[in-house]
Amino acid sequence: MDLKINGKVAVITAASAGLGKNIAHALAAEGVHVVLFARSADKLTALAQEITAKHGVRAVAVPGDMRVAADVKRLADTVNATFNGTDILVLNTGRAPNPLRATLDETEEERWQEAYQNQLWGTIQVAKEMVPQMLKKQWGRVIAITSASVKQPMPHHSLSTVFRAGVTAYMKHLANEVGSCGITVNCVAPALIDTSHRTGTAAYTPEQAEARRKLTPLGRMGEQDEVCGVVAFLASTQAGFITGSSISVDGGMIGSLL
Ligand SMILES: NC(=O)c1ccc[n+]([C@@H]2O[C@H](COP(=O)([O-])OP(=O)(O)OC[C@H]3O[C@@H](n4cnc5c(N)ncnc54)[C@H](OP(=O)(O)O)[C@@H]3O)[C@@H](O)[C@H]2O)c1
């Protein structure tokens, strides 16, 4: 299916690795020019070159930290100067602090602050700088990556769930406010996505991964491509009547009817 976003511009945050990197590839494969934002300049530059070589689109690396206002402002200025604004904004973030802990063991303010800054405040900062560019165009797609834990909390995920719920609420308010300007705002809420290929710290220990597989009727972890495809669809022209929604990509883990 032609998603009809060929030639549009997408900003993807937390794009130097994992899901963000794969989402950038998925959008570029649809002919979307991409702006990649994360802290690791080397990784971003290499990814931009890889994307242009593979998909023939423009790819721009903007090194920066979602928590730092000046970096986010520089991102917005670069997108304006290079592309005259963005059409698509994918709000991906770093993970909650490791290791995962039981709620009453989350006693350190530092970890709560880190989770707040990375997942909620960083997301809000980028949204408030980038969405005005879409208002000027009277068209846009905002897609935040949250977690299925927002609908059904997973064990040891309170640091993530608390702030993803905040992101979900922010996105719902935003959807209500910018819908009449042709901008849709949605969340993609993954769970149980395989990150075992990572060379750094894996999201789950082997025991945690095994326990999680049993949480889904499909009996397996999800693939990153299975998240990226949903993001690309929400960015499409055809998804224009979907807004204010949270789409779960969780292998059926959530037990409720809706
Ligand atoms: N796997 C799952 O089942 C699952 C489920 C629900 C939600 N999620 C969420 O999906 C997101 C992506 O997961 P992942 O596995 O792809 O993570 P990952 O491989 O650890 O990648 C995280 C990315 O975030 C960037 N980043 C971290 N802090 C940043 C900051 N302050 N400013 C800008 N960029 C920052 C990192 O790049 P730099 O270090 O270069 O900045 C990296 O590109 C996470 O929020 C995760 O919690 C995953």
Side-chain angles (χ1 to χ4, degrees):
M1 180 165 80
D2 176 6
L3 298 182
K4 298 182 184 157
I5 47 176
N6 188 28
K8 295 223 181 267
V9 176
V11 170
I12 301 114
T13 59
S16 67
L19 207 45
K21 175 178 174 174
N22 287 316
I23 289 168
H25 267 290
L27 291 172
E30 297 299 325
V32 174
H33 305 296
V34 292
V35 179
L36 313 164
F37 185 71
R39 294 165 302 178
S40 310
D42 292 357
K43 284 191 200 168
L44 281 189
T45 304
L47 178 61
Q49 287 167 357
E50 182 183 304
I51 285 178
T52 297
K54 186 165 181 191
H55 306 289
V57 296
R58 292 177 74 187
V60 176
V62 182
D65 189 323
M66 293 171 75
R67 298 166 297 185
V68 176
D71 289 3
V72 175
K73 176 82 171 51
R74 186 166 39 79
L75 168 69
D77 290 347
T78 305
V79 177
N80 250 336
T82 314
F83 293 108
N84 201 22
T86 195
D87 305 292
I88 298 163
L89 175 62
V90 179
L91 293 160
N92 184 44
T93 68
R95 297 170 181 198
N98 256 327
L100 302 176
R101 291 180 186 160
T103 306
L104 286 179
D105 293 335
E106 288 296 0
T107 53
E108 293 159 37
E109 187 180 348
E110 263 178 25
R111 277 168 61 95
W112 284 102
Q113 287 291 352
E114 188 186 333
Y116 162 70
Q117 290 285 336
N118 262 322
Q119 289 164 46
L120 182 55
W121 180 237
T123 299
I124 291 171
Q125 284 213 100
V126 177
K128 75 182 173 59
E129 287 292 338
M130 300 306 307
V131 174
Q133 298 184 357
M134 297 177 179
L135 291 172
K136 279 192 191 148
K137 295 183 175 212
Q138 295 284 290
W139 194 95
R141 299 282 185 264
V142 181
I143 302 146
I145 308 301
T146 57
S147 167
S149 231
V150 167
K151 293 187 184 175
Q152 181 169 303
M154 287 186 285
H156 300 158
H157 263 70
S158 54
L159 267 193
S160 166
T161 307
V162 166
F163 299 112
R164 311 273 191 202
V167 172
T168 307
Y170 182 94
M171 294 302 152
K172 188 72 179 171
H173 279 278
L174 188 59
N176 291 342
E177 290 169 22
V178 300
S180 63
C181 301
I183 302 169
T184 66
V185 183
N186 293 289
C187 298
V188 171
L192 312 167
I193 306 303
D194 191 1
T195 51
S196 56
H197 62 282
R198 292 174 87 246
T199 48
T201 51
Y204 306 123
T205 63
E207 296 75 29
Q208 286 172 333
E210 186 50 37
R212 277 165 169 73
R213 258 178 226 118
K214 293 179 184 150
L215 294 174
T216 145
L218 293 179
R220 66 171 176 86
M221 303 288 277
E223 300 296 330
Q224 296 214 357
D225 282 353
E226 292 168 325
V227 181
C228 298
V230 177
V231 173
F233 175 68
L234 285 174
S236 74
T237 299
Q238 291 91 331
F241 203 52
I242 304 174
T243 196
S245 290
S246 263
I247 312 286
S248 304
V249 184
D250 66 352
M253 179 196 81
I254 291 168
S256 63
L257 287 182
L258 293 172

